[in-house]
Amino acid sequence: MSEIDYSEKISRSLGEANISIVRIDERNFPGEKWFVVWVNEDFLVTAQSLAGSIEQELNNVVSGPSGYSIVVTFRPHRKEGQDPDGVKSTGPLSGSQVDQLIQLLEARSRTSDALPSLKYMEDPRASLAAVGASRHHLVYGRRGVGKTALLLEAKRIAEKDGFVTAWINAHTLRRLGVGAAFLAIAEVALNSLLQHAGSSQGGVYVRLKGISERVTQLRSGGAVTEETIAELIAELNLALRAILREDLVCLYLYLDDFYLFPMGSQPNLLDCIAGMLRDCNGWVKVASIERLTRPFEPSSRIGIEIPHDVSKIDLDVTLEDPAATQSFLESVLSNYTAAVGIGKPAVLANDTALGRLILGSGGVPRDYLNLFASSIVAARSRPKARQIGREDVAEAAGRASRGKKRDLEQDVSSNSAQALLGAQEHLCAEVRKTGYTYFRINAAQKSHPFYEILAQLVDLRFAHLIQGTLSDQKRRGVKYEAYILDLSEYADVRLKRGLRVLDLREGKWSFRVSGTKGTAKLLTGTLLRDELRRSPVVDLDDLAALVGSA
C-alpha cells in the first residue's frame, strides 16, 4: 500500500480556502503525529478554524493499526525583521508567539465534533474507560468542564476500534417537538450505520435502508402522531436487533448539550431513544448539565432511570482540592504554550496570577483557558508588563462575567434567567456587606427551595464550592457547606478595601484583607477550616424573602 501523502492533503484542504502554505514540519511523538503548518500571518486564524476538519480527514484515511493520532497546528510566517502591527517586541507578553497563543486559545478552547481540543488530556475526575463501556451514560458537568472533550475522545477511540458512531448536538433540536427530534436523531444514527455497511446488499441492511427512507419522508412531511412514532420505534428496534449484536456491530450515539432541549420533553425523547436501542449493542452517551436535565419521570415511568437504565458520570468540579485542579489545568494550558514555542505557563504569569486563574475560573477548563488569554490582553495595557499579575486576572474575570450572564440567558427561559440574576445580585450583596467574599450555608437547609437556586448559580459559575462538609465548632451535629463568590463579584476597584479575601498560590489557600498591608497569611493545616468557620452564614429563608420582595 502506498504511503499517505499528508502534506498534499493538508495543502489541498487549505487551498480550497485560498490559504497558501509556506512550509509543513512533521514531528512524531509516542501515539501522535503532529504537523506544524506555516501560513501567512494574515490567514492564521482562518487556518486554525479548519484544524478540526483537516485532522478528522487525515485520521479517517489512516488505515490499519497505526497506533497514533494526527494533530495539526499552525504558525504564522512573516518576513525577516517584520513585527506585528509595526511594533517592536519589548517583553515576553509582546511577541508574535503570544499573539498566536491568544488566537489559539480563543479558537480551540471550545470543542465540538468539527473542532476537537488541541490535545486531549484526561481529567483525573473523569473516566474515559467508563464512558467507552457498553452502557448508556449521562455525563454531567457545568459549561466548559470538559463534557464534549470527553465524548469526542471516546468517539475517536470507538472509531479507531471499528465501531459505528453518530454525533448530534441538542442545540439543533431545541425548537422541535419530541417526535421531530427523535426522527432527526434516528436519521443520523441510521445514516451512520448504512455508511458503515458500505455496498452490502445483506437483507438486514436492505431493510434498514427502507426504514431510513421512511424516516426521511416523515421528517419532510411535517407533524407526526405519537402512534406513528411508537410504531416506528418498534420497527426500528426489530431491525437494529438483527445488526447491533455482540461481536458483529456496535453503535455509539453521542448526544451533546442535551440541557438545551426543553426539560419537560427530555424524558420522552430519551425514552424514544432507549426504546429504539433496547436489547441492542447500541449505546447512547448524553452530555448535559445535571440541574437542567430530567432524564426520568417517576409518575409515568417514562425516560431512563439512574442507575437501572443508565450510569451517571459526574464531571462537576469544585475548589475542594485546588492543588490537583491547578496541576491538571496547567498541564492542559502547557499544550497550548508548547504549540506556539513558549515554555511553561509560568513564563507568562507569576505565581499569584496562576493561583488566581484557578479561583477566577472555578476550576472549569474552558473558563481557565479563556481567562488566561484575556489576562494577557489586560496585562498588555500596562506599560512594559513582563508577566500577567493578580490584578490582570481580576480585570479579565470582570469582563468574563458578562459572558456568563449571556450563557445563563441561553441556558434557561427568560423568566428563569431574570429570577436567577436577581438571586445572584442579592446573594453577592448580602455576603459582601458582611465584609467577606466567602460564606456558609447550613446543611440542614439543603431541602429549602432556594438551595436549588444556589445550586444553579454554582452550575453557572457565579459561586464555587470550597468545602462540602464543615462542622460547627460549638454545636454538635451542625454541618455547613462553604462557598466563595466568583472573582468577578469582588474584583471591582470600588470593592477593593476591607474585604476578607481568599486567594490561591501553588495550590494552597491564603488569606488577606484587601487594601490592608500585613494581613496576608497562608491557611495551612487547620487554618483554612478555622477561617471558613468565621465566615457569615447565609440564611436561605432571609435570602428568599429579599429576592421575593425585589
Side-chain angles (χ1 to χ4, degrees), residues 523-529:
L523 298 178
T524 55
T526 61
L527 292 179
L528 173 63
R529 181 195 64 192

Side-chain angles (χ1 to χ4, degrees), residues 299-310:
S299 61
S300 60
R301 301 202 61 79
I302 287 177
I304 52 177
E305 185 179 11
I306 300 171
H308 309 295
D309 309 311
V310 61

Side-chain angles (χ1 to χ4, degrees), residues 52-66:
S53 58
I54 294 173
E55 287 173 349
Q56 186 174 27
E57 179 187 358
L58 296 182
N59 280 303
N60 285 342
V61 299
V62 175
S63 59
S66 60

Side-chain angles (χ1 to χ4, degrees), residues 24-67:
I24 299 178
D25 297 334
E26 181 179 332
R27 299 175 187 173
N28 294 291
F29 301 96
E32 290 186 334
K33 184 188 290 288
W34 281 63
F35 292 94
V36 183
V37 186
W38 297 81
V39 299
N40 185 292
E41 61 179 331
D42 294 334
F43 298 104
L44 180 63
V45 175
T46 304
Q48 286 168 339
S49 70
L50 298 171
S53 58
I54 294 173
E55 287 173 349
Q56 186 174 27
E57 179 187 358
L58 296 182
N59 280 303
N60 285 342
V61 299
V62 175
S63 59
S66 60

Side-chain angles (χ1 to χ4, degrees), residues 49-341:
S49 70
L50 298 171
S53 58
I54 294 173
E55 287 173 349
Q56 186 174 27
E57 179 187 358
L58 296 182
N59 280 303
N60 285 342
V61 299
V62 175
S63 59
S66 60
Y68 61 80
S69 64
I70 295 171
V71 184
V72 178
T73 189
F74 294 92
R75 297 273 185 88
H77 172 77
R78 69 175 54 94
K79 295 177 182 178
E80 189 174 352
Q82 180 182 353
D83 285 316
D85 303 322
V87 179
K88 186 175 179 60
S89 175
T90 58
L93 298 180
S94 305
S96 60
Q97 291 173 315
V98 180
D99 292 333
Q100 187 185 2
L101 175 62
I102 294 172
Q103 294 172 333
L104 194 59
L105 287 168
E106 291 177 347
R108 300 295 290 271
S109 61
R110 181 181 293 273
T111 56
S112 69
D113 190 30
L115 194 67
S117 55
L118 184 66
K119 179 183 178 183
Y120 181 75
M121 298 290 294
E122 184 164 3
D123 189 333
R125 298 163 295 202
S127 175
L128 187 58
V131 82
S134 297
R135 173 83 166 141
H136 297 319
H137 281 106
L138 287 167
V139 181
Y140 285 141
R142 292 182 284 175
R143 269 178 171 266
V145 82
K147 304 182 297 295
T148 302
L150 176 63
L151 291 193
L152 284 172
E153 183 64 10
K155 177 174 176 281
R156 185 189 69 80
I157 293 172
E159 289 172 344
K160 185 178 175 181
D161 290 339
F163 301 132
V164 184
T165 66
W167 183 281
I168 192 163
N169 191 295
H171 190 278
T172 63
L173 311 174
R174 64 189 308 180
R175 291 178 175 83
L176 299 178
V178 171
F182 172 70
L183 289 174
I185 293 170
E187 185 175 50
V188 171
L190 292 173
N191 286 343
S192 295
L193 283 166
L194 291 171
Q195 184 178 8
H196 176 79
S199 59
S200 173
Q201 295 300 308
V204 289
Y205 283 115
V206 171
R207 180 182 183 186
L208 199 66
K209 186 176 181 181
I211 298 175
S212 178
E213 290 171 351
R214 185 181 170 208
V215 168
T216 301
Q217 290 172 354
L218 287 171
R219 287 201 67 202
S220 61
V224 291
T225 65
E226 289 186 14
E227 185 178 359
T228 299
I229 293 296
E231 291 173 353
L232 179 65
I233 289 171
E235 187 178 0
L236 272 168
N237 178 251
L238 190 62
L240 291 175
R241 285 170 62 184
I243 297 171
L244 300 178
R245 293 190 287 180
E246 187 75 22
D247 297 326
L248 286 181
V249 180
C250 179
L251 169 70
Y252 288 105
L253 174 60
Y254 302 94
L255 185 52
D256 199 17
D257 290 341
F258 186 64
Y259 63 92
L260 294 175
F261 193 72
M263 187 182 291
S265 300
Q266 289 174 4
N268 286 280
L269 181 56
L270 290 175
D271 194 80
C272 291
I273 297 170
M276 176 180 71
L277 298 176
R278 186 76 183 185
D279 299 323
C280 295
N281 192 19
W283 312 100
V284 62
K285 313 292 181 176
V286 180
S288 196
I289 296 174
E290 184 167 11
R291 287 182 178 85
L292 298 177
T293 306
R294 187 188 301 162
F296 185 71
E297 181 52 61
S299 61
S300 60
R301 301 202 61 79
I302 287 177
I304 52 177
E305 185 179 11
I306 300 171
H308 309 295
D309 309 311
V310 61
S311 295
K312 170 183 167 182
I313 294 177
D314 193 348
L315 299 188
D316 271 324
V317 295
T318 68
L319 295 177
E320 292 185 86
D321 188 356
T325 299
Q326 183 162 352
S327 176
F328 168 67
L329 291 179
E330 287 185 13
S331 70
V332 173
L333 180 57
S334 293
N335 288 317
Y336 289 82
T337 55
V340 298

Side-chain angles (χ1 to χ4, degrees), residues 319 322 359 466 484 502-504 507-511 522-523 528:
L319 295 177
L359 195 61
I466 302 176
I484 188 169
L502 296 180
D503 263 322
L504 284 168
K508 298 181 177 62
W509 288 103
S510 65
F511 165 86
L522 279 175
L523 298 178
L528 173 63

